[in-house]
Amino acid sequence: MWTDLLAKHAEKPFHALMGGGDQLYCDGVVREPELQEWVTMPKGDKKKNFPITDEMRVAIDRFYFNHYCHIFRSGAFARANCSM
């Protein structure tokens, strides 16, 4: 998709790049070690009411920061972001 968009941009440059919000898939956050107690818990009230610890917050922030940095600075998506 991004390579097609870049080819069209090369022919007739776009002035803006808009996204619909679902370009980044972040399912990997559930693999963070600090979240495993909650992830492996059966569904139910206990899981819904499980307190988020500071350690979990740090893990979630770390995951999203690193994931977004990786996606936005690599491949065709990065070239599209910096040229439109």
Side-chain angles (χ1 to χ4, degrees), residues 3-63:
T3 52
D4 292 341
L5 189 65
L6 286 167
K8 290 178 183 176
H9 176 64
E11 292 172 17
K12 186 175 179 186
F14 302 124
H15 295 287
L17 176 64
M18 294 177 58
D22 64 344
Q23 293 81 14
L24 295 175
Y25 296 98
C26 299
D27 297 343
V29 72
V30 298
R31 291 190 293 273
E32 292 299 302
E34 297 87 346
L35 305 179
Q36 292 313 298
E37 183 180 356
W38 179 81
V39 168
T40 58
M41 197 177 278
K43 292 180 182 178
D45 287 338
K46 187 176 178 185
K47 189 169 190 166
K48 286 183 202 174
N49 297 314
F50 193 83
I52 297 175
T53 65
D54 287 339
E55 185 180 45
M56 292 169 76
R57 282 184 217 286
V58 168
I60 292 165
D61 286 346
R62 179 189 62 224
F63 171 83

Side-chain angles (χ1 to χ4, degrees), residues 1-7 17 70-84:
M1 173 187 147
W2 293 109
T3 52
D4 292 341
L5 189 65
L6 286 167
L17 176 64
H70 172 73
I71 296 297
F72 278 92
R73 71 172 182 232
S74 61
F77 187 58
R79 289 193 306 277
N81 280 329
C82 71
S83 65
M84 294 176 203

